[in-house]
Amino acid sequence: MTGAGGSIGAFRRRGEEEPRGGPAVVVAVADERGAELAADLRDAGAEVRLVVAPDAPSAAAVDAMSGREAAELLGELARADLLVLDADRRTLTAQLVAACDRFGIRIVALCAGAAERRLAGVFGVDACDAQADAAEALASGARAQDAEAPEPTRGRVIAVWGAAGAPGRTTTAIELACELARDGRRVALIDADAHAPSIAMATGLADEGPGFAAACRQAERGTLTVAELARIAAPLGTVEVLTGINRPGRWPELSHDRVQAALERCREWADDIVVDVAASLERDEEIVSDLAGPRRNAATLAALASADLIVAVVSADPIGVARFVRAHADLRSVVGATPVKIMVNKSRTGPVGLDARAQVRRTLERYTDARDVWFVPWDPKATDAAMLAAQPVAHVAARSPLAGAVRRFVGEAIEPPVPVRQADRRRRGRAGRGEATEPRRAGTVLSRRRARTA
């Protein structure tokens, strides 16, 4: 084996024996260890397609290789089910993970130490000991795919939208997801903003991982599963996050059909799916051309059309309110009869004057027929602390005015989780009959508070 990916010596094909019907494997392990592992994999029933140098797949993924060798490696990867490689920062890269996601290949990382295991965890790939045998590598590769799926559910999609500017869409989406998760629900947070995605930056998560774009690609091919969603998601406390595209130029990956298919699959994965979308609702491309090409605002339009509930965020200043009023008609034309809950963010007296809330409420009632409006106060201390820590406000300032206002909004505007409320009623019934009750959890206390505010 060679250390570089561009030499013919980096490749050793398997023999001409007949395939055994097992998983197709590409081995990227150095020297004699690679040959031994390939032989063991064949004995275990796997079909070893290729044995290459550890850095060859990552080099091919970034076009660092050229010629016949690169084409051969990429062709075999496209036909493989599993890639087994020695893991380090040179061999396990974001480009390689993205390429394997496109091909539908599972990666098994052979890790020599804790640093390599952390790297594998960042990319959500399966990790094994560096000296693992063939059976362990195959079992690790099949573990997530064969894992028992949770009981099928029909999750609720909540899209967070706001007019142009910075009304606080991303902050609202993050805080809503964290608050919904307090009741013990499975909550997913998705960044579907094709113009300025920022959930990863706001929460300190790496944006080099697969994220929502990988979910959309797999949904288009019909290979997106609940287990795969759990694998590519990044944890934010108890919330599972699918980060957005790391460059705005990748917006064609979030096509309308892909986004709708991915969100439909997410309903089986989580109870509540909070989706952060961009502001623009224009369909100018459809006026210019009737060809079925990429649409820049397709992700936003698809998420809004798929949503069961829209949280519309308004910035509490004259410009923010005016922008929202003008865009409200376009929003209604997209979402139809889907319920829209209006949250007035950053409310304060400075830019509006005395009795700011009443002025904003009357304006929204007059021009948008809004029946109910919820207000979230301007809380720079809490938001600055969250930005400094790259964490949600709910994690760094749980008792702040902003967190309290979001908690009230969820309790009043979003239906509380039914299983928790039913369990709470049963506990109250037992207490009324003099029976012993189990210790109260945080989610139970929250449900009672919500019941009082409803």
Side-chain angles (χ1 to χ4, degrees):
M1 295 291 177
T2 67
S7 170
I8 294 179
F11 298 89
R12 293 195 314 204
R13 295 190 60 82
R14 63 180 177 89
E16 296 301 322
E17 71 276 5
E18 289 297 323
R20 305 190 184 192
V25 184
V26 172
V27 178
V29 179
D31 303 326
E32 290 79 9
R33 169 66 175 151
E36 294 172 0
L37 183 59
D40 291 342
L41 286 168
R42 292 190 189 103
D43 292 340
E47 179 188 357
V48 179
R49 306 285 305 185
L50 206 62
V51 182
V52 299
D55 59 346
S58 59
V62 296
D63 295 328
M65 299 174 60
S66 59
R68 182 177 60 83
E69 293 87 355
E72 182 181 23
L73 173 54
L74 291 174
E76 294 295 351
L77 281 175
R79 289 186 287 271
D81 303 306
L82 192 66
L83 170 63
V84 181
L85 83 164
D86 283 330
D88 58 39
R89 293 190 178 277
R90 186 171 49 92
T91 62
L92 185 58
T93 63
Q95 293 85 354
L96 175 62
V97 173
C100 289
D101 282 330
R102 286 197 300 271
F103 294 144
I105 305 168
R106 186 164 299 281
I107 299 175
V108 173
L110 302 182
C111 304
E116 288 76 17
R117 286 186 176 275
R118 286 195 297 269
L119 180 65
V122 167
F123 291 112
V125 303
D126 299 308
C128 284
D129 186 76
Q131 300 304 317
D133 58 17
E136 187 176 351
L138 290 174
S140 179
R143 189 176 299 130
Q145 183 175 357
D146 296 337
E148 183 179 355
E151 183 179 351
T153 61
R154 175 68 178 175
R156 173 178 54 181
V157 175
I158 302 172
V160 180
W161 174 87
R169 292 182 299 270
T170 298
T171 299
T172 299
I174 294 170
E175 300 308 318
L176 285 178
C178 292
E179 181 59 32
L180 286 166
R182 284 166 57 97
D183 274 325
R185 307 263 290 178
R186 292 194 303 271
V187 178
L189 175 61
I190 295 177
D191 192 342
D193 189 335
H195 289 262
S198 56
I199 283 181
M201 291 184 287
T203 56
L205 298 175
D207 60 359
E208 296 89 358
F212 188 50
C216 289
R217 289 192 296 269
Q218 295 191 41
E220 183 182 41
R221 297 196 301 266
T223 59
L224 185 62
T225 63
V226 171
E228 188 65 14
L229 283 167
R231 184 187 74 84
I232 64 178
L236 179 65
T238 56
V239 177
E240 299 290 337
V241 183
L242 291 179
T243 55
I245 52 179
N246 55 7
R247 296 187 308 278
R250 293 176 56 193
W251 64 264
E253 298 180 37
L254 304 182
S255 67
H256 191 281
D257 292 341
R258 285 180 172 184
V259 170
Q260 281 197 326
L263 291 179
E264 191 62 28
R265 180 63 67 182
C266 286
R267 292 181 186 274
E268 303 174 12
W269 173 45
D271 298 311
D272 288 312
I273 304 101
V274 181
V275 187
D276 180 25
V277 300
S280 182
L281 302 174
E282 289 133 353
R283 305 170 183 260
D284 293 345
E285 305 96 333
E286 299 177 9
I287 300 174
V288 175
S289 172
D290 59 356
L291 298 178
R295 311 297 198 212
R296 181 62 190 267
N297 301 321
T300 297
L301 297 172
L304 291 174
S306 300
D308 303 297
L309 176 68
I310 312 295
V311 177
V313 185
V314 188
S315 182
D317 58 74
I319 295 176
V321 173
R323 284 174 170 170
F324 179 82
V325 167
R326 291 171 179 172
H328 185 263
D330 295 331
L331 174 67
R332 269 300 174 196
S333 69
V334 172
V335 304
T338 303
V340 177
K341 306 295 184 180
I342 298 178
M343 175 190 287
V344 180
N345 193 24
K346 309 177 189 177
S347 61
R348 58 206 188 276
T349 59
V352 182
L354 296 176
D355 202 4
R357 293 192 175 190
Q359 292 191 60
V360 172
R361 187 189 298 275
R362 285 194 296 268
T363 302
L364 294 176
E365 288 176 352
R366 178 178 180 183
Y367 294 104
T368 67
D369 294 328
R371 295 292 181 267
D372 297 305
V373 179
W374 287 265
F375 292 86
V376 175
W378 172 246
D379 192 355
K381 184 177 179 180
T383 53
D384 287 350
M387 187 64 67
L388 178 63
Q391 290 290 315
V393 173
H395 291 183
V396 301
R399 297 186 178 183
S400 64
L402 188 150
V406 172
R407 193 168 300 123
R408 287 192 299 272
F409 174 81
V410 171
E412 297 174 5
I414 301 178
E415 181 182 357
V418 174
V420 175
R421 290 194 301 171
Q422 290 177 345
D424 192 31
R425 291 195 192 101
R426 286 195 294 270
R427 278 189 290 270
R428 287 202 298 267
R430 289 197 298 268
R433 294 192 299 270
E435 300 178 14
T437 59
E438 60 184 282
R440 292 185 298 175
R441 298 191 301 263
T444 303
V445 175
L446 178 61
S447 295
R448 293 184 175 179
R449 290 177 181 169
R450 287 179 180 169
R452 289 197 296 266
T453 59

